Amino acid sequence: MRALILVLLLGVIPSNLLAQTGIKGRVSSGENALVEAKITMAQTTLGTLTDEAGFYKFEALEPGSYNLVVEYVGYKTVKKKLEVVAGKLTTWDFDLPLDSDLNEIVVSATLKPVLKSESVVPVEIYTPKFLQKNPTSSLFDAVRLINGVQPQLNCNVCNTGDIHINGMEGPYTMILIDGMPIVSSLSSVYGLSGIPNSLIERIEVVKGPASSLYGTEAMGGIINVITKNAKSAPLLSLDGFTTSWLETNLDAAMKFKLGEKTHSLLGVNYFKYGERKDLNKDGYTDVTLQDRISLFNKWNFDRSDERSASMAIRYLYEDRWGGENHWNRERDRGGDQVYGESIFTNRFEAIGMYQLPTTPNIYTQFSYNWHQQNSFYGIESYQAKQQVIFGQAYWDTAWKNHSLLLGASYKYTYYDDNTRGTGIYDEEGLVENDPMKRPNLGLFVQDEWSLNKQHKLLLGYRLDYDRVHKEIHSPRIGYKYMPSSHHILRASFGTGFRVVNVFTEDHRALTGAREVVFAEALDPEKSYNGNLNYTWKVPASFGVISFDATAFYSYFTNKIDADTDTDQTKIIYDNLDGHAISQGLSLNVDVVFDFPLKLMMGATYMDVYRKEEGEKNPLYHAPKWSGNLLATYDFGSGFSTDLTGNWTGSMRLPRVEDDYRPEYSPWVVLANIQITKKFNERFELYGGVKNLFNTLPKEDVIARWWDPYGEPGNGIEPPAGRTDVIFEPNDYSYTPLQGIQGFLGLRYTVF
């Protein structure tokens, strides 16, 4: 490992080269840099993408005339003929105008194509360039570098997890693909795996409730993964890497045409990890062994009058297991001698959008997902199926200085498993199977009112009808004040709601090890929230500094909790007799220097707790302090380096009875370094080190790991001085079990 680090660090010191013959410049729209804008040279195979500051460069060109074509989704294409002089880097900047007729762009906050600076609701945008700063094999791991967003591991054996926004648990975060709620609750981390990075156009993050547009599951925020347009995507993209732990990941995408008016983009993701590692010597695999493949195909159709039409499908298969190191699938799956958790996942998704051929701008969207899970958690079998059908139509129109949106949606969820969650049991066993069938109808309206160039008002309202909870109302109001292009103040207030499906959201309920009991008919969770956001761009003598500060507050009623203490054989679900609060402050600072250095820093303070009968208790896995750091430096001659990291303060952790482990975690810092060498516009090589400080848990992540079945299951004597706790493999997680590791990969792109 030390040799690998030395080689990588030595590689960042290139020799000084003479000035190159070529073209360089910046692509922007006004003062906004356009990241990953596509620049090609007509009648050649040369092409490149702008970096995170909007800059591009072509070197080692032959002197002569070149026709540059600059493209960026949502902006009008610009073409320019330039002369290249021998021994000189010709500078030419491009300012792209917004294409107001292009309706394919979905800005997650309002369902409308709009510049980030024009949105009333603050939206954070992350491009593949951001994801490439710390290469990962899944979206779940990639969002770790986003300030205020926390991927949380919920099981230390099977490595299931969810994504927290501003301290709120995973079920409060809605995951969208191309604006569609494709990642259902059953999929959990499994649905977040296998989305090829080579297909991602950008990721939009909205922190705070968005129920007025998206309905249930959007109380904490949304993460919208927007895939590339098949028409403008590169002809071929390859990205593969492996690590010193022998984790191997491959992303590949290729576009082609089917006739004159159909463009197709085909993507494949494959991930393999098959090593039984046990660095903490507890007898269990530190990381689940996985074999995963995902296939993605998207079609974009050319229509008259630039009307939108697209469709995409994805299939995911995954085989993962974790447990005692000597676990054997053929011998031990479902057995009571060697503990293991084994999950087979089959998943199919379909997404589509079609703009009606009418004079009014009417859009229809649909999605469907089918998820089958065949799993064993020790001796407990969990066999589940879920299907979710979603469709919506909305009318987008303008009247004077009002931008109006009126729509309706329908969502149908079918869920069945082999536990008490969907069955009626007596002493002899199952009496009647009763799958969950839940329809939900929603109506929504939105008015974006431009009072003048400085003031904009957003009014929204949604009415949902649920068969159990009847009518649910979700109003919201937003306001944007923009005195100049360097200052923007945004404020939003509203309500959110969530209809809870406990069987797909609580890992303890999934195993069926306890009887599921409802103390009463559960009411939907509700929230009342307010956000205040301020962005400020400061031109300086050395570059540009951007500040983005947010204060957030959410008050929750009817919060549903799982009581596992009253009766050790039961999980009792009940509405909280009190309230819960999520409040805090966050700050993001971006610094782009005149020399080739860019810094991104963030910090978040949170106070997330529930209060019942006068007693205040912090929520689990909600650290008061957290933050991130990204630094990128371009050395020239194709060499660049990225230093990334995130830190998490002390947070409360779930424990079992008589637990010997601390109730609060220590502070944790995870840091990574990467070196990239770009040989030409097509090929680049990258490598680095993850978890530079070798940060690992200080305590047992699995309670009573030496005795999963009541007898020494792995031949290890109980450690001295530890109380007789019960076996519990879940929840006690605050940092990954992987220590320091190296990685090496390559990317190849043909435009």
Side-chain angles (χ1 to χ4, degrees):
M1 179 58 66
R2 291 180 179 176
L4 175 61
I5 297 174
L6 180 61
V7 170
L8 290 169
L9 292 178
L10 288 176
V12 307
I13 308 175
S15 59
N16 293 326
L17 299 178
L18 297 176
Q20 299 291 318
T21 300
I23 305 171
K24 67 176 182 177
R26 188 171 186 262
V27 179
S28 61
S29 179
E31 295 185 352
N32 299 298
L34 297 184
V35 181
E36 292 208 328
K38 180 182 175 183
I39 307 174
T40 55
M41 291 187 176
Q43 285 80 49
T44 75
T45 59
L46 296 177
T48 189
L49 300 174
T50 58
D51 62 18
E52 56 273 1
F55 291 101
Y56 73 94
K57 182 187 292 186
F58 290 96
E59 295 181 298
L61 297 178
E62 293 292 332
S65 298
Y66 291 87
N67 294 311
L68 265 65
V69 181
V70 184
E71 301 172 273
Y72 194 78
V73 177
Y75 296 80
K76 294 183 178 179
T77 299
V78 173
K79 300 178 181 180
K80 184 68 177 179
K81 185 176 182 179
L82 297 177
E83 293 292 330
V84 174
V85 180
K88 181 180 178 181
L89 273 175
T90 302
T91 300
W92 193 269
D93 297 333
F94 291 89
D95 189 357
L96 272 58
L98 180 68
D99 188 350
S100 58
D101 296 326
L102 186 59
N103 295 302
E104 174 123 357
I105 305 173
V106 177
V107 173
S108 307
T110 59
L111 283 180
K112 286 176 174 283
V114 63
L115 283 171
K116 176 183 175 181
S117 60
E118 294 297 323
S119 175
V120 176
V121 178
V123 181
E124 297 179 13
I125 299 176
Y126 299 93
T127 68
K129 283 285 187 183
F130 178 88
L131 304 179
Q132 291 171 2
K133 293 179 182 298
N134 181 37
T136 62
S137 61
S138 71
L139 179 65
F140 176 78
D141 293 316
V143 298
R144 188 180 300 276
L145 293 179
I146 300 177
N147 184 29
V149 178
Q150 175 189 346
Q152 179 57 50
L153 200 64
N154 295 329
C155 177
N156 292 300
V157 175
C158 65
N159 287 173
T160 58
D162 52 34
I163 296 176
H164 296 201
I165 294 180
N166 288 342
M168 300 308 301
E169 297 98 322
Y172 294 88
T173 301
M174 191 175 213
I175 309 295
L176 308 169
I177 299 180
D178 287 336
M180 291 286 94
I182 201 70
V183 181
S184 56
S185 52
L186 176 62
S187 64
S188 187
V189 69
Y190 310 125
L192 302 178
S193 303
I195 302 175
N197 288 339
S198 55
L199 294 178
I200 296 177
E201 179 75 36
R202 66 186 184 276
I203 296 174
E204 298 181 353
V205 179
V206 178
K207 299 174 183 176
S211 295
S212 64
L213 270 186
Y214 296 100
T216 185
E217 299 178 10
M219 278 181 89
I222 59 176
I223 297 176
N224 190 5
V225 180
I226 299 176
T227 59
K228 293 180 178 178
N229 187 310
K231 185 176 181 179
S232 58
L235 183 64
L236 176 66
S237 298
L238 298 175
D239 189 348
F241 70 85
T242 189
T243 74
S244 56
W245 277 51
L246 299 183
E247 297 166 298
T248 301
N249 185 78
L250 175 64
D251 280 330
M254 179 180 68
K255 77 170 182 179
F256 51 92
K257 293 189 68 174
L258 298 172
E260 290 298 319
K261 297 185 178 182
T262 303
H263 306 267
S264 182
L265 181 62
L266 177 64
V268 179
N269 171 259
Y270 178 70
F271 178 77
K272 173 72 174 180
Y273 175 64
E275 300 299 307
R276 303 189 185 209
K277 294 271 190 177
D278 182 21
L279 298 185
N280 63 352
K281 307 299 181 183
D282 63 0
Y284 289 77
T285 54
D286 292 338
V287 179
T288 56
L289 283 71
Q290 302 173 48
D291 200 346
R292 179 179 73 233
I293 187 167
S294 174
L295 304 174
F296 184 96
N297 201 181
K298 182 177 182 179
W299 298 270
N300 288 93
F301 306 96
D302 291 335
R303 299 176 62 207
S304 60
D305 299 322
E306 298 293 334
R307 290 191 175 96
S308 300
S310 63
M311 183 176 177
I313 59 174
R314 184 171 78 113
Y315 172 73
L316 170 72
Y317 171 79
E318 184 181 63
D319 171 9
R320 69 163 60 196
W321 77 267
E324 296 187 72
N325 292 319
H326 55 291
W327 185 87
N328 179 276
R329 173 178 295 155
E330 289 72 23
R331 181 192 65 203
D332 300 316
R333 193 172 196 259
D336 61 357
Q337 298 300 310
V338 181
Y339 187 84
E341 296 184 0
S342 171
I343 300 100
F344 295 106
T345 300
N346 277 282
R347 182 173 177 83
F348 173 79
E349 304 166 350
I351 310 168
M353 168 184 269
Y354 183 78
Q355 183 181 357
L356 298 183
T358 57
T359 300
N361 291 325
I362 300 177
Y363 301 86
T364 61
Q365 295 176 297
F366 75 89
S367 68
Y368 169 77
N369 71 74
W370 173 85
H371 189 105
Q372 182 182 50
Q373 190 167 316
N374 173 353
S375 50
F376 275 88
Y377 301 87
I379 62 174
E380 302 295 339
S381 170
Y382 175 62
Q383 312 297 319
K385 292 182 181 179
Q386 185 174 41
Q387 298 183 72
V388 180
I389 301 172
F390 178 84
Q392 75 176 9
Y394 59 92
W395 174 35
D396 180 7
T397 187
W399 176 72
K400 293 185 177 180
N401 55 344
H402 294 265
S403 179
L404 302 171
L405 193 73
L406 179 65
S409 67
Y410 177 79
K411 183 178 181 180
Y412 178 81
T413 303
Y414 172 90
Y415 172 78
D416 190 19
D417 65 22
N418 63 329
T419 74
R420 296 178 182 272
T422 59
I424 302 173
Y425 287 74
D426 61 14
E427 295 180 355
E428 297 182 358
L430 179 67
V431 175
E432 180 184 352
N433 190 41
D434 185 23
M436 183 194 76
K437 301 174 182 178
R438 172 167 280 170
N440 184 282
L441 178 65
L443 301 173
F444 56 91
V445 61
Q446 177 181 274
D447 178 16
E448 197 167 1
W449 182 9
S450 296
L451 304 175
N452 52 46
K453 291 184 178 180
Q454 295 180 333
H455 302 273
K456 186 180 287 188
L457 191 66
L458 178 70
L459 301 172
Y461 172 77
R462 182 182 179 97
L463 173 65
D464 282 85
Y465 182 82
D466 181 81
R467 187 175 58 189
V468 176
H469 303 299
K470 307 306 179 184
E471 298 87 2
I472 304 174
H473 306 272
S474 302
R476 77 164 169 176
I477 182 172
Y479 168 73
K480 181 175 79 76
Y481 173 55
M482 188 175 178
S484 72
S485 59
H486 297 302
H487 299 269
I488 304 176
L489 178 67
R490 297 179 174 95
S492 61
F493 307 91
T495 66
F497 78 96
R498 189 168 72 96
V499 177
V500 180
N501 179 11
V502 298
F503 311 113
T504 63
E505 295 176 4
D506 195 309
H507 188 70
R508 295 165 295 182
L510 297 183
T511 65
R514 300 175 186 244
E515 179 184 357
V516 177
V517 177
F518 295 98
E520 60 183 5
L522 298 178
D523 294 325
E525 295 185 1
K526 296 181 180 179
S527 71
Y528 305 88
N529 54 83
N531 282 20
L532 187 64
N533 174 260
Y534 175 63
T535 60
W536 179 26
K537 284 189 176 181
V538 184
S541 58
F542 54 83
V544 178
I545 309 175
S546 299
F547 296 93
D548 188 325
T550 301
F552 56 90
Y553 178 87
S554 294
Y555 181 97
F556 296 86
T557 63
N558 297 332
K559 184 171 173 60
I560 296 175
D561 281 332
D563 178 8
T564 58
D565 298 326
T566 301
D567 189 330
Q568 294 292 318
T569 66
K570 299 178 180 179
I571 301 179
I572 304 173
Y573 289 95
D574 196 0
N575 287 112
L576 179 67
D577 186 17
H579 63 270
I581 287 179
S582 171
Q583 59 187 351
L585 301 167
S586 70
L587 175 65
N588 290 315
V589 180
D590 293 0
V591 185
V592 180
F593 294 91
D594 289 337
F595 55 94
L597 172 66
K598 181 174 182 179
L599 298 177
M600 300 175 63
M601 299 167 286
T604 298
Y605 169 79
M606 300 184 300
D607 186 18
V608 184
Y609 64 91
R610 68 177 189 178
K611 194 170 185 179
E612 188 174 20
E613 297 180 353
E615 184 178 354
K616 176 181 175 181
N617 290 306
L619 292 189
Y620 296 128
H621 301 126
K624 283 192 176 293
W625 291 97
S626 62
N628 66 336
L629 170 67
L630 298 91
T632 299
Y633 188 83
D634 188 346
F635 291 93
S637 302
F639 282 91
S640 63
T641 184
D642 297 292
L643 176 65
T644 60
N646 64 283
W647 50 274
T648 305
S650 179
M651 58 183 172
R652 187 179 177 217
L653 299 173
R655 300 192 304 162
V656 297
E657 187 177 354
D658 297 324
D659 207 321
Y660 55 88
R661 300 170 299 180
E663 184 178 4
Y664 285 85
S665 68
W667 283 60
V668 169
V669 177
L670 297 174
N672 322 284
I673 190 170
Q674 175 182 242
I675 308 301
T676 302
K677 167 59 179 174
K678 190 172 184 179
F679 292 92
N680 51 46
E681 305 309 323
R682 292 186 176 187
F683 176 69
E684 63 182 56
L685 184 68
Y686 61 90
V689 180
K690 292 177 179 285
N691 198 352
L692 276 169
F693 304 130
N694 198 31
T695 303
L696 291 167
K698 296 182 178 180
E699 304 290 339
D700 294 341
V701 296
I702 300 175
R704 199 178 177 83
W705 49 266
W706 59 87
D707 186 9
Y709 288 116
E711 298 177 356
N714 50 18
I716 300 177
E717 292 297 324
R722 297 186 181 176
T723 55
D724 191 22
V725 298
I726 63 172
F727 174 70
E728 177 56 75
N730 302 320
D731 294 337
Y732 197 90
S733 299
Y734 57 88
T735 189
L737 284 171
Q738 283 181 299
I740 187 170
Q741 55 180 311
F743 64 93
L744 185 66
L746 60 87
R747 299 186 185 98
Y748 183 76
T749 305
V750 179
F751 294 93

